[in-house]
Amino acid sequence: LGDRHPDTLTSLYSLGSLLQEQGRLGDAIPLFREELEGCAARYGKGHDETQSSARNLVEVLTEAGRQREADEIAATYGV
């Protein structure tokens, strides 16, 4: 399908969410980051899918205590 295909992006999000629920934030963050990069490349920064992905990454980074990174993502994507 390719790394920017919507099904691939959905799979990254789903696995990241599962890992987040299990408390495996260090494993979830790279998946959410990859999903965000894919959404931005496929849809653009202002698209609803990209904005949702950015909010998810900000949430998990905040949960992991990585506030500076969360703030950078939030500022970059306006979320």
Side-chain angles (χ1 to χ4, degrees):
L1 295 175
D3 60 351
R4 302 298 186 231
H5 189 279
D7 290 347
T8 303
L9 298 174
T10 298
S11 294
L12 288 168
Y13 170 79
S14 296
L15 182 54
S17 292
L18 177 64
L19 293 169
Q20 182 183 10
E21 289 174 15
Q22 294 176 343
R24 296 173 56 188
L25 303 179
D27 294 324
I29 289 169
L31 296 174
F32 282 125
R33 191 177 302 277
E34 185 176 349
E35 186 226 357
L36 173 57
E37 290 169 0
C39 285
R42 182 170 183 87
Y43 304 116
K45 286 173 63 173
H47 191 276
D48 288 345
E49 288 291 327
T50 306
Q51 295 287 297
S52 177
S53 179
R55 283 190 293 275
N56 290 331
L57 180 55
V58 166
E59 177 185 312
V60 73
L61 286 168
T62 299
E63 188 177 342
R66 295 165 62 171
Q67 194 60 50
R68 192 179 95 212
E69 289 176 74
D71 292 343
E72 289 172 5
I73 296 294
T76 298
Y77 290 91
V79 297

Coordinates of all heavy atoms in Angstrom, one line a residue:
L1 N 0.8 -1.2 0.0 CA 0.0 0.0 0.0 C 0.8 1.3 0.0 O 0.4 2.3 -0.5 CB -0.9 0.0 1.2 CG -2.0 -1.1 1.3 CD1 -2.7 -1.0 2.6 CD2 -2.9 -1.0 0.1
G2 N 1.9 1.2 0.7 CA 2.8 2.4 0.8 C 2.7 3.1 2.1 O 1.7 2.9 2.8
D3 N 3.7 3.8 2.5 CA 3.8 4.4 3.8 C 2.9 5.6 4.0 O 2.8 6.1 5.1 CB 5.3 4.7 4.2 CG 5.9 5.7 3.2 OD1 5.4 6.1 2.2 OD2 7.0 6.2 3.6
R4 N 2.3 6.2 2.9 CA 1.4 7.3 3.1 C 0.0 6.9 2.7 O -0.9 7.8 2.7 CB 1.9 8.4 2.1 CG 3.3 8.9 2.4 CD 3.5 9.5 3.8 NE 4.8 10.1 4.0 CZ 5.6 9.8 5.0 NH1 5.2 8.9 5.9 NH2 6.7 10.4 5.1
H5 N -0.3 5.7 2.5 CA -1.6 5.2 2.2 C -2.5 5.4 3.4 O -2.1 5.2 4.5 CB -1.6 3.8 1.7 CG -2.9 3.3 1.2 ND1 -4.0 2.9 2.0 CD2 -3.4 3.2 -0.1 CE1 -5.0 2.5 1.3 NE2 -4.6 2.7 0.0
P6 N -3.8 5.8 3.2 CA -4.6 6.0 4.4 C -4.8 4.8 5.3 O -4.8 4.9 6.5 CB -6.0 6.4 3.8 CG -5.6 7.0 2.5 CD -4.4 6.3 2.0
D7 N -4.8 3.6 4.7 CA -4.8 2.4 5.6 C -3.6 2.2 6.4 O -3.6 1.8 7.6 CB -5.1 1.1 4.7 CG -6.4 1.1 4.1 OD1 -7.3 1.9 4.5 OD2 -6.6 0.3 3.2
T8 N -2.4 2.5 5.8 CA -1.2 2.5 6.6 C -1.2 3.5 7.7 O -0.8 3.1 8.9 CB 0.0 2.7 5.6 OG1 0.0 1.8 4.6 CG2 1.4 2.6 6.4
L9 N -1.6 4.7 7.5 CA -1.7 5.7 8.5 C -2.7 5.3 9.6 O -2.4 5.5 10.8 CB -2.1 7.0 7.9 CG -1.1 7.6 6.8 CD1 -1.7 8.9 6.2 CD2 0.2 7.9 7.4
T10 N -3.8 4.7 9.2 CA -4.7 4.2 10.2 C -4.1 3.1 11.1 O -4.3 3.1 12.3 CB -6.0 3.7 9.5 OG1 -6.6 4.8 8.9 CG2 -7.0 3.2 10.6
S11 N -3.4 2.2 10.5 CA -2.7 1.2 11.2 C -1.7 1.7 12.2 O -1.6 1.2 13.3 CB -2.0 0.2 10.3 OG -3.0 -0.5 9.5
L12 N -0.9 2.7 11.8 CA 0.0 3.3 12.7 C -0.7 3.9 13.9 O -0.3 3.8 15.0 CB 0.8 4.4 12.0 CG 1.9 4.0 11.0 CD1 2.3 5.1 10.1 CD2 3.0 3.3 11.7
Y13 N -1.8 4.6 13.6 CA -2.6 5.2 14.7 C -3.1 4.2 15.7 O -3.0 4.3 16.9 CB -3.7 6.1 14.2 CG -4.7 6.5 15.2 CD1 -4.3 7.6 16.1 CD2 -5.8 5.8 15.5 CE1 -5.2 8.0 17.1 CE2 -6.7 6.2 16.5 CZ -6.4 7.3 17.3 OH -7.2 7.6 18.3
S14 N -3.7 3.1 15.1 CA -4.3 2.0 15.9 C -3.2 1.4 16.8 O -3.5 1.1 18.0 CB -4.9 1.0 15.0 OG -6.0 1.6 14.3
L15 N -2.1 1.0 16.3 CA -1.0 0.4 17.1 C -0.5 1.4 18.1 O -0.3 1.0 19.3 CB 0.1 -0.1 16.2 CG 1.2 -0.8 16.9 CD1 0.7 -2.0 17.7 CD2 2.3 -1.3 15.9
G16 N -0.3 2.6 17.7 CA 0.1 3.6 18.7 C -0.9 3.8 19.9 O -0.5 3.9 21.0
S17 N -2.2 3.8 19.5 CA -3.2 3.9 20.6 C -3.2 2.7 21.5 O -3.3 2.8 22.7 CB -4.6 4.0 19.9 OG -4.7 5.2 19.3
L18 N -3.0 1.5 20.9 CA -2.9 0.3 21.8 C -1.8 0.4 22.7 O -1.9 0.1 23.9 CB -2.8 -0.9 20.9 CG -2.7 -2.3 21.6 CD1 -3.9 -2.6 22.4 CD2 -2.4 -3.4 20.6
L19 N -0.6 0.8 22.2 CA 0.6 0.9 23.0 C 0.4 2.0 24.1 O 0.8 1.8 25.3 CB 1.8 1.2 22.2 CG 2.2 0.0 21.2 CD1 3.3 0.5 20.2 CD2 2.8 -1.1 22.0
Q20 N -0.3 3.0 23.8 CA -0.5 4.1 24.7 C -1.4 3.6 25.8 O -1.2 3.8 27.0 CB -1.2 5.3 24.1 CG -1.5 6.4 25.0 CD -2.2 7.6 24.3 OE1 -2.6 7.5 23.2 NE2 -2.3 8.7 25.0
E21 N -2.5 2.8 25.5 CA -3.4 2.2 26.5 C -2.6 1.3 27.4 O -3.0 1.2 28.6 CB -4.5 1.5 25.8 CG -5.5 2.4 25.2 CD -6.6 1.7 24.4 OE1 -6.7 0.5 24.5 OE2 -7.2 2.3 23.5
Q22 N -1.6 0.6 26.9 CA -0.8 -0.3 27.7 C 0.3 0.4 28.5 O 1.0 -0.2 29.3 CB -0.1 -1.3 26.8 CG -1.1 -2.3 26.1 CD -0.4 -3.2 25.2 OE1 0.7 -3.0 24.7 NE2 -1.1 -4.3 24.8
G23 N 0.4 1.7 28.4 CA 1.3 2.5 29.1 C 2.7 2.5 28.5 O 3.7 2.9 29.1
R24 N 2.8 2.0 27.3 CA 4.1 1.9 26.6 C 4.3 3.2 25.7 O 4.3 3.1 24.5 CB 4.1 0.6 25.7 CG 4.1 -0.6 26.6 CD 3.9 -1.9 25.8 NE 5.0 -2.0 24.8 CZ 5.0 -3.0 23.9 NH1 4.0 -3.9 23.9 NH2 6.0 -3.1 23.0
L25 N 4.4 4.3 26.4 CA 4.4 5.6 25.7 C 5.7 5.7 24.8 O 5.6 6.3 23.7 CB 4.4 6.7 26.7 CG 3.1 6.7 27.6 CD1 3.2 7.9 28.6 CD2 1.9 6.7 26.8
G26 N 6.8 5.2 25.3 CA 8.0 5.3 24.5 C 7.9 4.5 23.2 O 8.6 4.9 22.2
D27 N 7.1 3.5 23.1 CA 6.9 2.8 21.9 C 5.8 3.4 21.0 O 5.8 3.3 19.8 CB 6.5 1.3 22.2 CG 7.6 0.5 22.8 OD1 8.8 0.7 22.5 OD2 7.3 -0.3 23.7
A28 N 4.8 4.1 21.7 CA 3.7 4.7 21.0 C 4.1 6.0 20.2 O 3.7 6.3 19.1 CB 2.6 5.0 21.9
I29 N 5.0 6.8 20.9 CA 5.4 8.1 20.3 C 5.9 8.0 18.9 O 5.5 8.8 18.0 CB 6.3 8.8 21.3 CG1 5.5 9.3 22.5 CG2 7.0 10.0 20.6 CD1 6.3 9.8 23.7
P30 N 6.9 7.1 18.6 CA 7.4 7.1 17.2 C 6.3 6.7 16.2 O 6.3 7.2 15.1 CB 8.5 6.0 17.2 CG 8.9 5.9 18.7 CD 7.6 6.2 19.5
L31 N 5.3 5.9 16.6 CA 4.2 5.6 15.7 C 3.3 6.8 15.4 O 2.9 7.0 14.3 CB 3.5 4.4 16.2 CG 4.2 3.1 16.3 CD1 3.4 2.0 17.0 CD2 4.7 2.6 15.0
F32 N 3.0 7.5 16.5 CA 2.2 8.7 16.3 C 2.9 9.7 15.5 O 2.3 10.4 14.7 CB 1.8 9.2 17.7 CG 0.6 8.5 18.4 CD1 0.8 8.0 19.6 CD2 -0.6 8.3 17.7 CE1 -0.3 7.3 20.3 CE2 -1.6 7.7 18.3 CZ -1.5 7.2 19.6
R33 N 4.2 9.8 15.7 CA 5.0 10.8 15.0 C 5.0 10.4 13.5 O 4.9 11.3 12.6 CB 6.4 10.9 15.5 CG 7.2 12.0 15.0 CD 8.6 12.1 15.6 NE 8.6 12.3 17.1 CZ 8.4 13.4 17.7 NH1 8.2 14.5 17.1 NH2 8.5 13.4 19.1
E34 N 5.2 9.1 13.2 CA 5.2 8.7 11.8 C 3.9 8.9 11.1 O 3.8 9.3 10.0 CB 5.6 7.2 11.7 CG 5.8 6.7 10.3 CD 6.2 5.3 10.2 OE1 6.6 4.7 11.3 OE2 6.2 4.7 9.1
E35 N 2.8 8.7 11.9 CA 1.5 8.9 11.4 C 1.3 10.4 11.1 O 0.7 10.7 10.0 CB 0.4 8.4 12.4 CG -1.0 8.5 11.8 CD -2.0 9.2 12.7 OE1 -1.7 9.5 13.9 OE2 -3.2 9.3 12.3
L36 N 1.7 11.3 12.0 CA 1.6 12.7 11.7 C 2.4 13.1 10.5 O 1.8 13.9 9.7 CB 2.1 13.5 13.0 CG 2.1 15.0 12.8 CD1 0.8 15.6 12.4 CD2 2.7 15.6 14.1
E37 N 3.6 12.6 10.4 CA 4.4 13.0 9.2 C 3.7 12.5 7.9 O 3.7 13.2 6.9 CB 5.8 12.4 9.3 CG 6.6 13.1 10.4 CD 7.9 12.3 10.7 OE1 8.2 11.3 10.1 OE2 8.6 12.8 11.6
G38 N 3.1 11.3 8.0 CA 2.4 10.8 6.8 C 1.2 11.6 6.4 O 1.0 11.9 5.3
C39 N 0.4 12.0 7.5 CA -0.8 12.8 7.2 C -0.4 14.2 6.6 O -1.0 14.6 5.7 CB -1.5 13.0 8.5 SG -2.5 11.5 9.1
A40 N 0.7 14.8 7.2 CA 1.1 16.1 6.7 C 1.5 16.0 5.3 O 1.2 16.9 4.4 CB 2.2 16.6 7.6
A41 N 2.3 14.9 4.9 CA 2.7 14.8 3.5 C 1.6 14.5 2.6 O 1.6 15.0 1.5 CB 3.8 13.6 3.5
R42 N 0.6 13.7 3.0 CA -0.5 13.3 2.1 C -1.5 14.4 2.0 O -2.0 14.6 0.9 CB -1.1 12.0 2.6 CG -2.2 11.5 1.7 CD -2.7 10.1 2.1 NE -3.7 9.7 1.2 CZ -3.5 9.0 0.0 NH1 -2.2 8.8 -0.4 NH2 -4.5 8.6 -0.7
Y43 N -1.9 15.0 3.2 CA -3.0 15.9 3.2 C -2.7 17.4 3.3 O -3.5 18.2 3.0 CB -4.0 15.5 4.3 CG -4.5 14.1 4.3 CD1 -4.1 13.2 5.3 CD2 -5.3 13.6 3.3 CE1 -4.6 11.9 5.3 CE2 -5.8 12.3 3.3 CZ -5.4 11.4 4.3 OH -5.8 10.2 4.3
G44 N -1.5 17.6 3.9 CA -1.2 19.0 4.2 C -1.4 19.3 5.7 O -2.1 18.6 6.4
K45 N -0.7 20.3 6.2 CA -0.7 20.7 7.6 C -2.1 21.1 8.1 O -2.4 20.8 9.3 CB 0.3 21.8 7.9 CG 1.7 21.3 7.9 CD 2.8 22.4 8.0 CE 2.7 23.1 9.3 NZ 3.8 24.0 9.6
G46 N -2.9 21.7 7.3 CA -4.2 22.2 7.8 C -5.3 21.3 7.7 O -6.4 21.6 8.2
H47 N -5.1 20.1 7.1 CA -6.2 19.2 6.9 C -6.7 18.6 8.3 O -5.9 18.4 9.2 CB -5.7 18.0 6.0 CG -6.8 17.1 5.5 ND1 -7.3 16.1 6.3 CD2 -7.5 17.1 4.4 CE1 -8.2 15.5 5.6 NE2 -8.4 16.1 4.4
D48 N -8.0 18.2 8.4 CA -8.5 17.7 9.6 C -7.8 16.4 10.1 O -7.6 16.3 11.3 CB -10.0 17.4 9.4 CG -10.9 18.6 9.3 OD1 -10.4 19.7 9.7 OD2 -12.1 18.4 8.9
E49 N -7.4 15.5 9.2 CA -6.7 14.3 9.6 C -5.4 14.7 10.2 O -5.0 14.1 11.2 CB -6.5 13.4 8.3 CG -7.8 12.7 7.9 CD -8.3 11.7 8.8 OE1 -7.5 11.0 9.5 OE2 -9.5 11.5 8.9
T50 N -4.7 15.6 9.6 CA -3.4 16.0 10.1 C -3.5 16.7 11.5 O -2.7 16.4 12.4 CB -2.7 17.0 9.1 OG1 -2.6 16.3 7.8 CG2 -1.3 17.3 9.6
Q51 N -4.5 17.6 11.6 CA -4.8 18.2 12.9 C -5.1 17.2 14.0 O -4.6 17.4 15.1 CB -5.9 19.3 12.7 CG -5.6 20.4 11.8 CD -4.6 21.4 12.4 OE1 -4.9 22.0 13.4 NE2 -3.4 21.5 11.8
S52 N -5.9 16.3 13.7 CA -6.3 15.2 14.6 C -5.0 14.4 15.0 O -4.8 14.1 16.2 CB -7.3 14.3 14.1 OG -7.6 13.3 14.9
S53 N -4.2 14.1 14.1 CA -3.0 13.4 14.3 C -2.0 14.2 15.2 O -1.4 13.7 16.2 CB -2.3 13.0 13.0 OG -1.1 12.3 13.2
A54 N -1.9 15.5 14.9 CA -1.1 16.4 15.8 C -1.6 16.4 17.2 O -0.8 16.4 18.1 CB -1.0 17.8 15.1
R55 N -2.9 16.5 17.4 CA -3.4 16.6 18.7 C -3.1 15.3 19.5 O -2.8 15.3 20.7 CB -4.9 16.8 18.7 CG -5.3 18.3 18.4 CD -6.8 18.6 18.6 NE -7.6 17.9 17.6 CZ -7.9 18.3 16.4 NH1 -7.4 19.5 16.0 NH2 -8.7 17.6 15.6
N56 N -3.2 14.1 18.8 CA -2.9 12.9 19.4 C -1.5 12.8 19.9 O -1.2 12.3 21.0 CB -3.2 11.7 18.5 CG -4.7 11.5 18.2 OD1 -5.5 11.8 19.0 ND2 -5.0 11.0 17.0
L57 N -0.6 13.2 19.0 CA 0.8 13.2 19.4 C 1.1 14.2 20.5 O 1.8 13.8 21.5 CB 1.7 13.6 18.2 CG 3.2 13.6 18.4 CD1 3.7 12.3 19.0 CD2 4.0 13.9 17.1
V58 N 0.5 15.3 20.5 CA 0.7 16.3 21.6 C 0.2 15.6 22.9 O 0.9 15.7 24.0 CB -0.1 17.6 21.3 CG1 -0.2 18.5 22.6 CG2 0.6 18.4 20.2
E59 N -0.9 14.9 22.9 CA -1.5 14.3 24.1 C -0.5 13.2 24.6 O -0.3 13.2 25.8 CB -2.8 13.6 23.7 CG -3.4 12.8 24.9 CD -4.7 12.1 24.4 OE1 -5.5 12.7 23.8 OE2 -4.7 10.9 24.8
V60 N 0.0 12.4 23.8 CA 0.9 11.3 24.3 C 2.2 11.9 24.7 O 2.8 11.4 25.7 CB 1.0 10.2 23.3 CG1 1.9 10.6 22.1 CG2 1.6 8.9 23.9
L61 N 2.7 12.9 24.1 CA 4.0 13.5 24.5 C 3.8 14.2 25.9 O 4.6 14.1 26.8 CB 4.5 14.6 23.5 CG 5.1 14.0 22.2 CD1 5.2 15.1 21.2 CD2 6.4 13.4 22.5
T62 N 2.6 14.8 26.1 CA 2.3 15.4 27.4 C 2.2 14.4 28.5 O 2.8 14.5 29.5 CB 1.0 16.3 27.3 OG1 1.2 17.3 26.3 CG2 0.7 16.9 28.6
E63 N 1.5 13.3 28.1 CA 1.4 12.2 29.1 C 2.7 11.6 29.4 O 2.9 11.2 30.6 CB 0.5 11.1 28.4 CG 0.1 10.0 29.3 CD -0.8 9.0 28.6 OE1 -1.4 9.3 27.6 OE2 -0.9 7.8 29.2
A64 N 3.7 11.6 28.5 CA 5.0 11.1 28.8 C 5.9 12.1 29.5 O 7.1 11.8 29.7 CB 5.7 10.6 27.4
G65 N 5.4 13.3 29.7 CA 6.2 14.3 30.4 C 7.2 15.0 29.5 O 8.2 15.6 29.9
R66 N 6.9 15.0 28.2 CA 7.8 15.6 27.2 C 7.1 16.9 26.6 O 6.8 17.0 25.5 CB 8.1 14.6 26.1 CG 8.9 13.4 26.6 CD 9.0 12.2 25.7 NE 9.6 12.4 24.4 CZ 9.9 11.5 23.6 NH1 9.7 10.2 23.9 NH2 10.4 11.7 22.4
Q67 N 6.9 17.8 27.6 CA 6.1 19.0 27.3 C 6.7 19.9 26.2 O 6.0 20.4 25.4 CB 5.8 19.8 28.6 CG 4.7 20.8 28.4 CD 3.4 20.2 28.0 OE1 2.9 19.2 28.6 NE2 2.8 20.7 27.0
R68 N 8.0 20.0 26.2 CA 8.7 20.9 25.2 C 8.4 20.4 23.8 O 8.0 21.1 22.9 CB 10.2 21.0 25.5 CG 10.8 22.1 24.7 CD 12.3 22.2 24.9 NE 12.9 21.5 23.8 CZ 14.0 20.8 24.0 NH1 14.7 20.8 25.1 NH2 14.5 20.1 23.0
E69 N 8.5 19.1 23.6 CA 8.2 18.5 22.3 C 6.7 18.7 22.0 O 6.4 19.0 20.8 CB 8.5 17.0 22.3 CG 10.0 16.7 22.3 CD 10.3 15.2 22.4 OE1 10.1 14.5 21.4 OE2 10.6 14.7 23.5
A70 N 5.9 18.5 23.0 CA 4.4 18.6 22.7 C 4.1 20.1 22.3 O 3.4 20.3 21.4 CB 3.7 18.3 24.0
D71 N 4.8 21.0 23.0 CA 4.6 22.4 22.6 C 5.0 22.8 21.2 O 4.4 23.5 20.5 CB 5.2 23.4 23.7 CG 4.6 23.3 25.0 OD1 3.5 22.8 25.2 OD2 5.3 23.7 26.0
E72 N 6.1 22.2 20.8 CA 6.7 22.4 19.5 C 5.7 21.9 18.4 O 5.5 22.5 17.4 CB 8.1 21.7 19.3 CG 9.2 22.4 20.1 CD 10.5 21.6 20.1 OE1 10.6 20.6 19.4 OE2 11.4 22.1 20.8
I73 N 5.2 20.7 18.6 CA 4.2 20.1 17.7 C 3.0 21.0 17.6 O 2.4 21.3 16.6 CB 3.9 18.6 18.1 CG1 5.1 17.7 18.0 CG2 2.7 18.1 17.2 CD1 5.7 17.5 16.6
A74 N 2.5 21.3 18.8 CA 1.3 22.2 18.9 C 1.5 23.5 18.1 O 0.6 23.9 17.4 CB 0.9 22.4 20.3
A75 N 2.6 24.1 18.3 CA 2.9 25.4 17.6 C 3.1 25.1 16.1 O 2.5 26.0 15.3 CB 4.2 26.0 18.2
T76 N 3.7 24.1 15.7 CA 3.9 23.8 14.3 C 2.6 23.6 13.5 O 2.4 24.0 12.4 CB 4.9 22.6 14.1 OG1 6.1 22.9 14.7 CG2 5.0 22.2 12.6
Y77 N 1.7 22.9 14.2 CA 0.5 22.5 13.5 C -0.8 23.3 14.0 O -1.9 23.1 13.5 CB 0.2 21.0 13.7 CG 1.2 20.2 13.0 CD1 2.4 19.8 13.5 CD2 0.9 19.8 11.6 CE1 3.3 19.0 12.8 CE2 1.9 19.1 10.9 CZ 3.0 18.7 11.5 OH 3.9 18.0 10.8
G78 N -0.5 24.2 14.9 CA -1.6 25.1 15.3 C -2.7 24.4 16.0 O -3.9 24.8 15.9
V79 N -2.4 23.5 16.9 CA -3.4 22.8 17.7 C -3.2 23.1 19.1 O -2.2 23.5 19.6 CB -3.3 21.2 17.4 CG1 -3.6 20.9 16.0 CG2 -2.0 20.6 17.8

